[in-house]
Amino acid sequence: MTTLQQRDGKGPRNTTGGPAARPAGRTVPAPPPAGLADVLARMRALDGALPADDGVAVFNRVYLAVTEAVAERVGGGTFEDPAATGELDVRFARRYFTAVDAETAGRRPPACWRPLFQLRRHPRIRPLQFALAGINAHIGHDLALAVVDTCRALDCEPAALEGDFDRVGTVLTGLEEGIRETLMPGPDLLDIADPLTHLIGSWSLEMARDGAWAAARMLWGVRGLPEVGEEFAARLDASVGLIGRCLLTPLGRAVPADA
């Protein structure tokens, strides 16, 4: 993964000013809003129910860690509009749960999620690949639709969410390196010849979030043309699914040099 940069390519946004700046001293964070608490409870239930090496379980653990961090900050005053940020996070998570429920019920989940569900038990796919495929599906497709869902629910324009959208990105940046290191296949850095090294470099969290924001603006702009919006969303779903399938390319086991 790569660190999140400002969308215009001129460096990270300054999100430390305004309501995000906190005076020195200890504060007791408020509990997460009820909706986020329900999201966390569902993720924890999935974590307890799925086998640890299941590909969906790998992604779910990553998503749970991210959501816990965001929920703590929603209750702690990091965001300019905590209620809107919480609403976005809840609607975002619901799209993941909808995909999980569809798969459980034997229905077809969105195309962006199908590679992960289909290959979740493949023995030659590494945990980091499962995590990237899930993040790709959720950010590449679901995030754009969740932004539009939130704007409809709150009767606001996407621009009203942009500042806190970027602040969530800052939280992801802080967690990104730890997640990557946790899912690496061993305590040492990957050998430059390991295929996973190249696979990691082929996908960018920064570009996925940039694309999600652009897609959200596009969908919002054509909201009065439902057929256009539906076609755009369907093509977005399919293209993100194709990327996910590439991320889940099975990798051969490394052969010792003296073998």
Side-chain angles (χ1 to χ4, degrees), residues 168-182:
V168 171
T170 301
V171 174
L172 291 176
T173 298
L175 296 172
E176 180 184 3
E177 186 67 18
I179 290 170
R180 183 178 64 85
E181 291 181 357
T182 298

Side-chain angles (χ1 to χ4, degrees), residues 81 84 156-164 213:
D81 190 339
C156 69
E157 297 285 328
L161 305 176
E162 186 173 8
D164 283 339
W213 185 255

Side-chain angles (χ1 to χ4, degrees), residues 83-93 143 146-148 150 161 165 168:
T85 303
E87 182 75 16
L88 174 58
D89 271 20
V90 169
R91 290 181 178 276
F92 188 33
L143 182 55
V147 168
V148 174
T150 303
L161 305 176
F165 183 94
V168 171

Side-chain angles (χ1 to χ4, degrees), residues 59-189:
F59 166 71
N60 189 78
R61 287 194 296 272
V62 170
Y63 193 16
L64 173 58
V66 170
T67 305
E68 286 174 337
V70 172
E72 180 181 348
R73 288 161 176 79
V74 166
T78 296
F79 298 107
E80 182 175 343
D81 190 339
T85 303
E87 182 75 16
L88 174 58
D89 271 20
V90 169
R91 290 181 178 276
F92 188 33
R94 284 176 183 166
R95 289 192 169 271
Y96 163 55
F97 297 146
T98 297
V100 170
D101 291 342
E103 171 69 13
T104 301
R107 302 190 305 273
R108 282 169 66 84
C112 61
W113 285 105
R114 286 175 209 155
L116 179 59
F117 289 126
Q118 291 167 354
L119 299 169
R120 61 196 294 177
R121 297 180 181 88
H122 198 294
R124 290 173 54 205
I125 296 176
R126 302 184 189 181
L128 184 55
Q129 292 177 261
F130 288 130
L132 287 179
I135 294 168
N136 170 70
H138 203 35
I139 289 181
H141 173 262
D142 294 354
L143 182 55
L145 274 63
V147 168
V148 174
D149 292 343
T150 303
C151 288
R152 291 185 186 279
L154 301 181
D155 193 21
C156 69
E157 297 285 328
L161 305 176
E162 186 173 8
D164 283 339
F165 183 94
D166 286 339
R167 291 185 179 93
V168 171
T170 301
V171 174
L172 291 176
T173 298
L175 296 172
E176 180 184 3
E177 186 67 18
I179 290 170
R180 183 178 64 85
E181 291 181 357
T182 298
L183 295 176
M184 282 294 188
D188 301 323
L189 292 176

Side-chain angles (χ1 to χ4, degrees), residues 46-61 120-121:
L46 285 170
D47 185 49
L50 294 172
D53 59 350
D54 182 289
V56 177
V58 174
F59 166 71
N60 189 78
R61 287 194 296 272
R120 61 196 294 177
R121 297 180 181 88

